[in-house]
Amino acid sequence: MYDAVIIGAGSAGLMCAARLVSKGLRNFIVLDSNSKPGKKLAVTGNGRCNLTNLKLDSNLYFTDDPKLLDSVISRFTVIDTIDFFEKTLGLKTVNKDELVYPWELKSSAVIDVLRLYIPQECFVFDSKVNSIRKEDDHFVVASDKEYPASNIIIATGGKSYVNTGSDGSGYKLLASLMPQDSFVPISPSLVQLKTSDRDLKVLSGYRFNCSIRLVCNGDEKASETGELLFTDYGISGICTMQLSRYLETGKNTVVVDFIGRDEDIIRSCIANFSERSTRDALAGVLPGVLTDIVLKRIGVKKLISKNEIDKFIDELHDFSINISGTNGLDNAQVTRGGVKLSCLDENLQSKLVRGLYVCGEVINVDGPCGGYNLQWAWSSSVIVADDISRSIV
Ligand SMILES: Cc1cc2nc3c(=O)[nH]c(=O)nc-3n(C[C@H](O)[C@H](O)[C@H](O)COP(=O)(O)OP(=O)(O)OC[C@H]3O[C@@H](n4cnc5c(N)ncnc54)[C@H](O)[C@@H]3O)c2cc1C
């Protein structure tokens, strides 16, 4: 009989196992359907793994239980996380402003320090868990073999980037043990946005450093500054993904300010090259395709009068993109929804099924880009491991 079976060797499962080891526990196993640990962790931060955020604000997460979320993150903080990685696991970290990365700027370093700290015999790979049943005072976890355990930890992730192993099967495992009203329906978060504006197709592949804001049903909901990438379906880039979190049912519009404070440059190009077409006059500052779209939107062929130039500038400051939806879960960085945090106690143990613990993205918690989602995986898994080790040691 194992003290614990951890289902999932992703960010949360690995951290949970490492924490158990640091508390002197060895009688546990980690099962994963993949042939190696941390497959999603490997692709985080463009392969560099932004592992946390020095300015983390717990108010920026979405969840059904903000108080419990704040308590979990306050009990294993960003500083505790960096300390654990540096002092216990031996990972050197480096900061880029408030974003924290492994010093090597490689996610493989994060996976390696976790993997190497956990005894090899605790891992069982290529082992997809299909069912869990409760028998008297323990659980039986079934994959190709059966594993009896006093405690089980569901660290199966959400349902985004399915090819990394998080295929949503964790929700089914939980649903077999918890009441149906314990779940918030899942949807993609931190995801690219689609547009129905056909005139924007020609911008596909263009990148702009600009400010963007999201207006939902007439109200501004969020704004971001950064790189905006136009694609064949709509818009992408970190700032777009951040806005995707605030989309509402109804009319959603992204308003782009392409020029910020640089409108004088536009005005002087138009004045200096007035003999040229507007597209050619602005060739050194704006892609011709964008100039053409903006001219078409304001209904002018060549900018001549002050009024026309003002309208053109206004359109560059307030360029609307109608949002028709988002890409699917498979392209989303995180899954919104999952098991309700409010169905778990302060140590993330099911309030109804004792011995059943949950951590990481499978819980209804999602944060913005910038290390928030990994911090949730680290904090929630440590809280679970600490509670289990208190009950055993
Ligand atoms: C492209 C991308 C970039 C990202 N970048 C960042 C970033 O830089 N910073 C940040 O904070 N967050 C980032 N995230 C989000 C972050 O990676 C996740 O929130 C985090 O990994 C979730 O951890 P988890 O352990 O809950 O789930 P996962 O890491 O997805 O791990 C779940 C594990 O469970 C296994 N599993 C699932 N079901 C079963 C089953 N039935 N039986 C056995 N095993 C099972 C899976 O194989 C998987 O290994 C990124 C996500 C993506 C997709």
Side-chain angles (χ1 to χ4, degrees):
M1 170 84 71
Y2 291 102
D3 289 333
V5 169
I6 301 171
I7 306 171
S11 321
L14 287 170
M15 179 54 114
C16 188
R19 186 70 171 190
L20 289 176
V21 174
S22 77
K23 299 280 173 185
L25 262 79
R26 295 285 190 282
N27 183 30
F28 69 87
I29 47 163
V30 190
L31 305 174
D32 201 294
S33 46
N34 290 328
S35 55
K36 56 184 185 183
K39 215 168 160 193
K40 183 173 285 170
L41 197 45
V43 299
T44 56
N46 273 329
R48 299 184 312 168
C49 185
N50 171 200
L51 57 97
T52 188
N53 188 309
L54 295 171
K55 291 191 182 153
L56 189 114
D57 174 358
S58 60
N59 295 312
L60 295 183
Y61 287 97
F62 287 127
T63 180
D64 56 290
D65 193 342
K67 216 169 138 200
L68 178 50
L69 177 137
D70 188 57
S71 145
V72 169
I73 290 189
S74 322
R75 281 181 286 150
F76 190 74
T77 63
V78 169
I79 298 304
D80 295 333
T81 302
I82 297 169
D83 259 24
F84 189 76
F85 268 110
E86 294 220 336
K87 296 184 183 146
T88 306
L89 301 178
L91 181 85
K92 175 128 185 65
T93 63
V94 66
N95 309 338
K96 303 258 168 202
D97 302 320
E98 67 270 26
L99 307 181
V100 182
Y101 292 91
W103 183 73
E104 285 183 45
L105 292 179
K106 285 210 170 85
S107 51
S108 55
V110 179
I111 301 169
D112 282 346
V113 295
L114 285 160
R115 175 181 63 81
L116 293 166
Y117 191 75
I118 302 160
Q120 196 54 40
E121 60 274 17
C122 290
F123 286 112
V124 184
F125 293 115
D126 297 311
S127 178
K128 176 155 180 159
V129 174
N130 303 309
S131 69
I132 302 166
R133 61 178 194 275
K134 184 109 178 73
E135 278 185 6
D136 306 324
D137 60 342
H138 69 279
F139 298 90
V140 178
V141 177
S143 60
D144 44 342
K145 263 177 70 181
E146 294 206 328
Y147 302 90
S150 317
N151 299 288
I152 46 172
I153 299 141
I154 308 283
T156 46
K159 207 187 170 185
S160 56
Y161 272 66
V162 172
N163 64 355
T164 61
S166 49
D167 60 359
S169 57
Y171 303 121
K172 290 189 190 131
L173 295 174
L174 282 166
S176 69
L177 298 163
M178 296 174 82
Q180 281 309 310
D181 62 359
S182 314
F183 300 89
V184 172
I186 59 167
S187 59
S189 188
L190 298 183
V191 66
Q192 306 82 4
L193 299 177
K194 290 185 184 171
T195 181
S196 47
D197 295 342
R198 302 181 71 86
D199 62 336
L200 300 184
K201 281 244 183 251
V202 288
L203 280 175
S204 178
Y206 282 90
R207 292 169 192 271
F208 297 90
N209 268 316
C210 54
S211 310
I212 59 174
R213 47 199 179 88
L214 176 70
V215 179
C216 306
N217 303 311
D219 290 330
E220 182 169 329
K221 292 289 167 188
S223 62
E224 286 289 330
T225 301
E227 191 179 78
L228 176 70
L229 169 66
F230 282 84
T231 65
D232 56 345
Y233 55 77
I235 50 172
S236 178
I238 290 181
C239 56
T240 301
M241 301 220 238
Q242 299 280 47
L243 292 194
S244 73
R245 304 182 73 224
Y246 300 94
L247 236 54
E248 289 181 357
T249 15
K251 187 169 167 50
N252 293 290
T253 310
V254 167
V255 183
V256 186
D257 182 350
F258 282 108
I259 52 174
R261 295 203 189 129
D262 294 333
E263 61 176 68
D264 285 351
I265 298 174
I266 306 284
R267 285 184 195 281
S268 58
C269 282
I270 294 167
N272 292 343
F273 302 105
S274 57
E275 75 291 355
R276 295 186 190 170
S277 68
T278 303
R279 186 187 225 263
D280 289 350
L282 294 173
V285 289
L286 288 182
V289 277
L290 178 61
T291 305
D292 288 347
I293 295 169
V294 176
L295 285 174
K296 202 163 174 205
R297 284 192 173 192
I298 62 167
V300 173
K301 287 219 163 88
K302 178 173 158 90
L303 299 175
I304 296 167
S305 70
K306 179 175 180 309
N307 184 35
E308 286 166 347
I309 295 170
D310 286 348
K311 263 173 124 179
F312 184 82
I313 299 272
D314 286 350
E315 187 65 24
L316 281 172
H317 277 306
D318 276 318
F319 185 91
S320 291
I321 302 174
N322 287 307
I323 302 303
S324 54
T326 70
N327 272 344
L329 271 166
D330 216 23
N331 290 292
Q333 284 204 1
V334 285
T335 309
R336 172 160 305 159
V339 64
K340 286 180 188 164
L341 190 53
S342 54
C343 291
L344 308 174
D345 72 8
E346 72 277 16
N347 295 312
L348 306 179
Q349 181 174 193
S350 161
K351 286 176 180 166
L352 295 177
V353 188
R354 306 312 281 170
L356 169 63
Y357 289 83
V358 194
C359 54
E361 198 178 311
V362 70
I363 302 177
N364 176 35
V365 170
D366 69 276
C369 292
Y372 276 71
N373 291 297
L374 282 176
Q375 185 59 53
W376 171 249
W378 313 137
S379 294
S380 58
S381 54
V382 164
I383 294 301
V384 166
D386 287 358
D387 197 49
I388 290 178
S389 53
R390 271 192 303 271
S391 73
I392 289 166
V393 176

